[in-house]
Amino acid sequence: LVLMDCSDTSPGHFRDFKRDDFEAEWIKVAEGRFGHVYQVKVKLWREKCALKTFDYRSQTASKLKFKYILSIYGVCSEATGVVMEYMSNGSLNNLLASHSFMWQKKFQMIHEISMAMNFLHSAKPPLLHLNLKTSNILLDDHLHVKVSDFGLVPWEDGMCKATFMERLTARGNINYIPPEVFTECSDSPGTAFDVYSFGIVIWEILTQQKPYAGCSVTKVLLQVSKGKRPCLEMIPETRPPECDELICVMQQCWDTNPQKRPLFSDTVRKTETLNEVLKIPGTITGQRKGNAEQESKYPWMFSPNSILSMLAKKDFSSFRQSVKGDDVCT
Ligand code: ATP
Ligand code: MG
């Protein structure tokens, strides 16, 4: 695993794309504080890619290859940008706001994020993300996850904490920053930083809400340093029992004491098991809390196979029933 500066374009390093390597049409996907994201098409490969432009003088990028990590193909120094895989379904941040997800999908996404983070942290020395948030979790055509933009807020040796905090908060990341960063004069951030951010991401996936909505940055800083965390009551009560185990993991992840937070090597085992349990048709049905008849209204009772078979049989009334309620099959 090699971490290298994007500006290094010597042979064997990142490919440096020229403007002329892309078709003329650049479609703007997003406009950020630090640059823009475009969908571009590489003439030679006939492949859509994402080009993220920004001032990358102090950035690092990596040639990591892993199923759940977004691949970087090269840089484009002419446009001061990075060329990477294009993810057709955009960010989880946008998708959570626009679609409702079934529990099974939520569990799968949480597990895939955990896999990505476990991969980064199992490098020697661990690769820290330090910018894990729902806008850096992208989804492909089949709604599988790839984590992007790690190393964008690098911790440099000798950097003062205030500068680091400034860089973090400038990106609008306040919700994902663990309290020790702004309450203690501790050392450089470690793996527990990302674990905390993961806890917040779990909450966002389970609730499909934004944490601390309507609170100012100062209020969030104050409340979080006092031990306050996103509201548990916002997690829908109509949930599979396995969700309670996930809530435990989430709470451990955002523990005030970084030492008490689990490692991704632990969380990934738990999310793997929970994800497998939810995948098995019928497993959930027998273990519902409360009245089974009432609960049959909820879509997580329907396995993807049963939904497919309803559609194949043109049994639309059952299908509509299966997607009724606050969760809709996407
Ligand atoms: P940060 O710069 O801290 O990562 P951010 O994630 O909010 O902040 P960008 O990385 O510029 O900002 O991404 C903005 C949006 O662009 C994302 O929310 C996503 O919708 C879209 N986007 C980014 N990268 C890709 C990609 N590779 N494929 C498709 N869409 C992307
Ligand atoms: Mg990003």
Side-chain angles (χ1 to χ4, degrees), residues 49-315:
C49 293
L51 172 66
K52 174 167 163 158
T53 63
F54 55 117
D55 171 11
Y56 61 81
R57 273 166 301 179
S58 64
Q59 311 293 342
T60 51
S62 123
K63 279 195 158 179
L64 292 185
K65 279 259 165 269
F66 191 58
K67 195 172 169 186
Y68 303 109
I69 298 281
L70 192 83
S71 294
I72 294 187
Y73 297 136
V75 296
C76 176
S77 30
E78 282 178 7
T80 44
V82 170
V83 181
M84 52 198 170
E85 248 179 298
Y86 180 72
M87 297 289 275
S88 58
N89 271 312
S91 73
L92 185 59
N93 186 43
N94 293 340
L95 271 186
L96 287 175
S98 59
H99 290 71
S100 298
F101 289 96
M102 291 173 73
W103 291 104
Q104 199 175 32
K105 195 72 207 172
K106 291 181 179 186
F107 274 51
Q108 186 196 73
M109 292 191 295
I110 291 168
H111 176 52
E112 292 180 355
I113 300 162
S114 196
M115 293 275 282
M117 295 309 298
N118 180 47
F119 177 80
L120 292 181
H121 284 192
S122 55
K124 298 220 171 5
L127 293 172
L128 304 184
H129 193 299
L130 305 182
N131 198 17
L132 181 65
K133 53 182 175 179
T134 48
S135 70
N136 284 337
I137 296 164
L138 303 173
L139 294 120
D140 70 10
D141 301 358
H142 306 285
L143 289 176
H144 285 289
V145 155
K146 282 185 200 264
V147 169
S148 74
D149 286 342
F150 55 95
L152 282 191
V153 194
W155 170 270
E156 288 149 18
D157 280 344
M159 184 195 257
C160 87
K161 198 95 170 245
T163 313
F164 179 58
M165 267 292 280
E166 216 172 278
R167 288 190 186 176
L168 288 170
T169 47
R171 290 191 173 268
N173 294 357
I174 191 70
N175 295 346
Y176 304 91
I177 304 175
E180 67 274 12
V181 175
F182 41 85
T183 56
E184 285 167 33
C185 313
S186 59
D187 322 321
S188 52
T191 53
F193 184 115
D194 288 336
V195 176
Y196 179 92
S197 314
F198 178 60
I200 304 293
V201 168
I202 297 181
W203 183 90
E204 283 190 61
I205 296 176
L206 295 182
T207 60
Q208 299 210 232
Q209 305 285 329
K210 295 307 286 174
Y212 322 117
C215 292
S216 66
V217 170
T218 323
K219 188 158 183 201
V220 174
L221 285 176
L222 275 172
Q223 296 291 325
V224 169
S225 53
K226 280 191 207 152
K228 211 166 156 38
R229 295 292 182 271
C231 175
L232 296 184
E233 281 76 53
M234 287 175 81
I235 303 171
E237 274 184 22
T238 52
R239 56 185 186 238
E242 291 76 14
C243 193
D244 293 349
E245 284 181 58
L246 210 45
I247 294 171
C248 276
V249 173
M250 173 184 86
Q251 288 178 292
Q252 288 163 2
C253 288
W254 69 34
D255 199 292
T256 301
N257 182 349
Q259 264 119 46
K260 286 198 185 156
R261 294 178 203 148
L263 300 171
F264 277 112
S265 52
D266 302 326
T267 65
V268 81
R269 285 171 185 277
K270 290 202 178 125
T271 56
E272 182 179 30
T273 312
L274 294 172
N275 182 38
E276 286 304 320
V277 171
L278 249 69
K279 261 197 231 161
I280 304 167
T283 318
I284 306 166
T285 320
Q287 298 170 11
R288 296 289 122 233
K289 284 179 191 163
N291 181 321
E293 216 175 79
Q294 217 180 25
E295 281 166 358
S296 65
K297 288 186 195 130
Y298 300 118
W300 36 257
M301 303 278 290
F302 292 80
S303 70
N305 282 345
S306 66
I307 291 174
L308 283 178
S309 93
M310 281 176 218
L311 288 174
K313 284 189 266 168
K314 296 202 166 47
D315 180 3

